[in-house]
Amino acid sequence: MLTAVAAFLTLGLPGFALRAAALKRPHAVAYALTLNLLSSSGFLIVGGTWAVLSGYVGAKPAIMVALAIACEKNAEARIALGTQFGRARLVNLLISTRGFLALGSALAAIQVGLSVMDWYAYGRAAGAILLGTVLAAAVRDWPLTFRRPRDGSLESMLSLAVASAAAAIRQLDAWIVGVFGGVGAAGVFGAALRMITPFDLLSSAVSVVVMAPSALGDPEGVRRALLRIARWSAAAALVLGAAWPLLLETAPLILGEDYRAAGPALAWLALASPALVALPVTVTAMQGQGLGRRVAGISAVFSAIFLVAIALGTEQAAAAGAAAAYALTTWLRYAGLLVSCAKSWETRKRATLVGQTGEAQFGE
């Protein structure tokens, strides 16, 4: 749930800043970083105030979580910029340190008998503060500004924000499984989902370095690259489909016999993994090409379909049904993006033939 909140609150600013930097629009980058800082500060103030005024017993951990989300949100844009523009080693070191601080705090709390959740919140906040502070000091190529850019670049920010919010909403899948299938189904689904998480993290990391080349690249070259990725994804899905019996045994083999029920769910999620890997790269490439509105529309529609499908799948076949719905809707969304990209390319090709530009310089 916290990951979904953090992703929702990015408001599309990291992608916007990265594309603006690739297109040599430093004022737009600086303005995006300023908005990011202001919105992060606002979330921290609202979240901390709510935790205190509500009389919540765990007010201090709640404030730490709000602080962590605010700092991580503020650092997301600088993570993307630092990765793309020569500071990838520093970014990787800071991200690893952030994770170790959170995990180390929780493990230490277990050893001394303190509240694990409280100390995990403290460790996560400490890691987020470190990440945000060091990146703010290291990535200083774009000074903050409150002056709104007048180059038309802000028009693309809304579409990026919608796509970011839609992606965040889809992270409520395990919660929906719990609501419609109970705690047991949610646990089985969550266990299976965590086993394919590395693929999602890998594709998200790769997508960061795709923005600049796609923003500056030839539409035909980007289209050919996305088609190659699509062919590889389809081939991987066919291989995984042929290995279905082995996939059913993977969960109990790795997690133990207590998680044998997660076998079917993991098999379905494994079938979704090729599309899951290709999606962030495809989304980023399309956004880089100025197709943010198309991506936003498709993401919004399929996020709604995704949530409904997860609920229906859970009611029909518990965790396995939810995983099957997850796989189906993931592939449908991926196919929708590819079709939209192909249509856009045809439109641009026709527009070029009649001497028109087809797309705006910064976005649709």
Side-chain angles (χ1 to χ4, degrees):
M1 182 68 76
L2 291 177
T3 304
V5 172
F8 180 82
L9 290 170
T10 60
L11 305 176
L13 290 170
F16 174 85
L18 190 56
R19 185 163 187 260
L23 294 176
K24 306 290 191 262
R25 295 174 180 260
H27 188 194
V29 179
Y31 191 74
L33 292 177
T34 303
L35 291 180
N36 204 28
L37 177 60
L38 292 175
S39 57
S40 297
S41 301
F43 172 76
L44 175 59
I45 293 171
V46 172
T49 302
W50 172 83
V52 174
L53 295 181
S54 65
Y56 179 52
V57 176
K60 188 180 294 184
I63 295 174
M64 291 297 103
V65 170
L67 176 62
I69 293 177
C71 291
E72 288 172 1
K73 175 198 173 304
N74 189 52
E76 282 300 317
R78 295 184 185 272
I79 286 174
L81 292 168
T83 302
Q84 184 64 56
F85 295 99
R87 297 179 178 85
R89 290 185 178 179
L90 174 62
V91 169
N92 292 334
L93 175 62
L94 290 173
I95 291 176
S96 300
T97 303
R98 176 185 63 179
F100 284 131
L101 281 174
L103 180 61
S105 298
L107 293 177
I110 294 175
Q111 295 297 320
V112 299
L114 297 174
S115 171
V116 176
M117 293 302 296
D118 288 0
W119 281 92
Y120 174 81
Y122 301 151
R124 180 167 176 175
I129 293 171
L130 175 66
L131 177 69
T133 302
V134 175
L135 283 180
V139 185
R140 296 186 297 174
D141 305 67
W142 302 274
L144 301 180
T145 178
F146 293 93
R147 184 166 57 88
R148 178 187 176 92
R150 301 185 181 279
D151 55 7
S153 58
L154 286 180
E155 296 176 2
S156 67
M157 186 180 293
L158 178 61
S159 61
L160 295 175
V162 171
S164 177
I169 289 173
R170 288 193 298 274
Q171 296 183 39
L172 299 176
D173 45 15
W175 178 78
I176 292 176
V177 173
V179 170
F180 289 91
V183 176
V188 169
F189 179 81
L193 189 62
R194 292 299 172 267
M195 295 182 69
I196 67 164
T197 296
F199 297 106
D200 191 19
L201 295 176
L202 173 64
S203 62
S204 297
V206 172
S207 68
V208 172
V209 300
V210 170
M211 178 63 84
S214 63
L216 301 173
D218 174 63
E220 172 62 9
V222 173
R223 186 185 74 91
R224 287 198 301 267
L226 292 181
L227 287 178
R228 284 196 296 271
I229 294 174
R231 287 194 291 268
W232 295 338
S233 300
L238 290 175
V239 172
L240 289 170
W244 183 271
L246 296 177
L247 293 175
L248 292 175
E249 297 298 324
T250 301
L253 179 64
I254 296 177
L255 301 177
E257 283 297 323
D258 292 341
Y259 284 90
R260 177 166 291 278
L266 177 59
W268 280 110
L269 292 175
L271 287 181
S273 61
L276 199 64
V277 169
L279 266 171
V281 176
T282 303
V283 165
T284 302
M286 290 180 66
Q287 289 173 337
Q289 281 285 297
L291 302 176
R293 292 182 184 176
R294 293 173 183 262
V295 172
I298 293 171
S299 297
V301 170
F302 276 98
S303 288
I305 294 174
F306 176 85
L307 297 179
V308 174
I310 291 291
L312 294 176
T314 302
E315 287 191 332
Q316 293 297 317
Y326 186 106
L328 177 61
T329 53
T330 298
W331 276 103
L332 286 176
R333 178 176 172 239
Y334 182 40
L337 287 171
L338 292 177
V339 170
S340 179
C341 185
K343 287 184 177 180
S344 172
W345 182 81
E346 291 296 335
T347 300
R348 290 185 178 192
K349 186 177 179 180
R350 289 194 300 268
T352 301
L353 292 176
V354 298
Q356 298 176 352
T357 59
E359 301 282 347
Q361 183 181 4
F362 196 89
E364 289 182 309

